Amino acid sequence: MGTSGIIFSTTHLCSPSNSISFPSPRPWPLLPQLRTSTRALPLSRIRSSVSSSSSSTTTTELTPDKLPTIDSSVTGGAYDFTKATTSLTNELISSPKKVTLLRHGLSTWNAESRIQMFCIQHHLLCLLSTVIKLIICTQGSSDLSVLTEVGEEQAERCKKALENIYFDQCFASPISRAKQTAEIVWQGREKPLVYLDSLREIPLYHLEGMTNVDAKRIYPKEYTIWREDPANFIMNGRYPARDLWITARDCWKEMLLSPGESFLVVTHKSILRALICTALGLDPERFRSIDINNGGLCVFNFNVRGEAMLKGLNMTAHMYSDHVYPG
């Protein structure tokens, strides 16, 4: 923020000593002119006005080391949402739950701008022998894209940022980049990691592993549909995005019916998009309405009916500072 700031001022409307007059409203046609002539003025400090009983106003400078503590109980946050959203379980769960979603750290294919999904790319298989094809296909793409040094550092940042939060369980994708991230973040915790196949990345078949530039050049039609209309993207007779929505709903139910009240989930961007959208009741057409950075965190609260409330979306303060989230 530098030297910029905001002025907060308080006026006592109930005081008889204050005489207030309101200007006559301006006609609507002048609004565009007002907008173009308005400009923000730089301020040296954030100031907070505090009024005393004698109707006088004192101003206190709020420097970064003197920022006020916010009491969350008086900020107007929602406290109850029974029957307000769609149940993801269609049955009662044991207790309210908090679920923290985490996208894996930067991977080699992220850094190379490659399409990074689940299945091995078709054009690479064409260059390999039948035996090697079979070996790679049985292993999946889990070992082809792994965390970079930056990705490992991001995972360490996530571990530090979450150290004050108790988690009953950690669910993770078994694909290497997510598995590596989960192992780093979960290190030192007593309970074992739980790997779920439903947290694997979406399959895009022969587009897998190609750079975005090459995919757009070699498969322009498929690439364009995938980027601009993912819900109607079809390949090998399947709709990957639509299938992902079904997987996400099943995954939510499996996790929410598990014992515990606080869960950490480490996985990939596409399944994260599906998890978030299904929790909010959004269809596959909204696939690209959500974006999550590497190391980004999202937080949901669930009531006993399995209904979701989004509390945090793509939180990344810990990626650029030593921020630690409260327990």
Side-chain angles (χ1 to χ4, degrees), residues 88 198 244-255 275:
L88 292 173
S198 55
L244 193 63
W245 252 240
I246 297 173
T247 300
R249 292 190 184 98
D250 292 341
C251 186
W252 271 127
K253 188 169 184 177
E254 181 176 2
M255 293 189 296
L275 288 170

Side-chain angles (χ1 to χ4, degrees), residues 166-306:
Y166 173 80
F167 296 106
D168 293 290
Q169 293 194 68
C170 177
F171 300 104
S173 162
I175 296 178
S176 281
R177 52 194 183 273
K179 184 174 182 287
Q180 288 176 276
T181 302
E183 288 172 346
I184 293 172
V185 174
W186 200 245
Q187 186 178 14
R189 308 238 183 188
E190 294 182 0
K191 297 185 179 180
L193 289 165
V194 179
Y195 296 103
L196 299 179
D197 284 339
S198 55
L199 290 174
R200 288 177 177 269
E201 189 55 290
I202 186 175
L204 285 187
Y205 307 102
H206 57 269
L207 294 183
E208 169 76 6
M210 301 182 70
T211 65
N212 283 280
V213 172
D214 286 343
K216 185 176 182 180
R217 175 176 56 83
I218 300 172
Y219 301 105
K221 181 179 179 181
E222 291 91 338
Y223 181 83
T224 299
I225 295 176
W226 169 239
R227 298 298 303 179
E228 299 181 3
D229 189 14
N232 291 313
F233 174 78
I234 184 171
M235 186 168 284
N236 288 11
R238 303 192 65 88
Y239 292 88
R242 299 183 194 181
D243 289 345
L244 193 63
W245 252 240
I246 297 173
T247 300
R249 292 190 184 98
D250 292 341
C251 186
W252 271 127
K253 188 169 184 177
E254 181 176 2
M255 293 189 296
L256 293 175
L257 292 177
S258 298
E261 298 182 355
S262 180
F263 301 146
L264 176 64
V265 180
V266 185
T267 186
H268 314 270
K269 181 160 70 171
S270 291
I271 184 63
L272 280 174
R273 283 171 161 169
L275 288 170
I276 294 167
C277 286
T278 51
L280 298 177
L282 302 176
D283 294 329
E285 287 76 12
R286 295 301 181 206
F287 179 83
R288 297 201 184 280
S289 64
I290 303 291
D291 199 14
I292 308 297
N293 292 61
N294 290 112
L297 294 166
C298 304
V299 180
F300 277 95
N301 283 349
F302 290 87
N303 61 19
V304 294
R305 294 171 59 89

Side-chain angles (χ1 to χ4, degrees), residues 134-152:
L134 292 174
I135 294 174
I136 294 179
C137 286
T138 56
Q139 292 178 342
S141 64
S142 59
D143 293 322
L144 298 180
S145 178
V146 297
L147 292 185
T148 62
E149 289 186 9
V150 171
E152 292 176 355

Side-chain angles (χ1 to χ4, degrees), residues 94-142:
S94 60
S95 63
K97 297 183 189 293
K98 177 181 178 181
V99 180
T100 301
L101 306 174
L102 168 63
R103 185 186 174 195
H104 63 77
L106 186 75
S107 70
T108 50
W109 282 11
N110 287 148
E112 296 167 4
S113 190
R114 293 184 182 275
I115 298 175
Q116 183 170 249
M117 302 302 174
F118 171 60
C119 294
I120 188 66
Q121 66 213 46
H122 176 72
H123 76 286
L124 178 60
L125 292 178
C126 293
L127 303 177
L128 302 175
S129 68
T130 303
V131 175
I132 297 178
K133 287 182 188 178
L134 292 174
I135 294 174
I136 294 179
C137 286
T138 56
Q139 292 178 342
S141 64
S142 59

Side-chain angles (χ1 to χ4, degrees), residues 11-75:
T11 305
H12 292 269
L13 298 179
C14 58
S15 174
S17 62
N18 290 333
S19 176
I20 303 173
S21 60
F22 294 93
S24 301
R26 295 182 181 273
W28 286 105
L30 291 180
L31 287 177
Q33 180 179 353
L34 289 175
R35 283 197 296 268
T36 56
S37 62
T38 302
R39 61 189 181 91
L41 297 177
L43 303 174
S44 59
R45 297 281 184 181
I46 298 178
R47 299 174 184 271
S48 173
S49 296
V50 181
S51 301
S52 65
S53 58
S54 61
S55 299
S56 61
T57 301
T58 60
T59 302
T60 302
E61 287 190 353
L62 298 181
T63 56
D65 59 334
K66 296 181 180 180
L67 294 177
T69 300
I70 298 175
D71 183 356
S72 60
S73 66
V74 296
T75 58

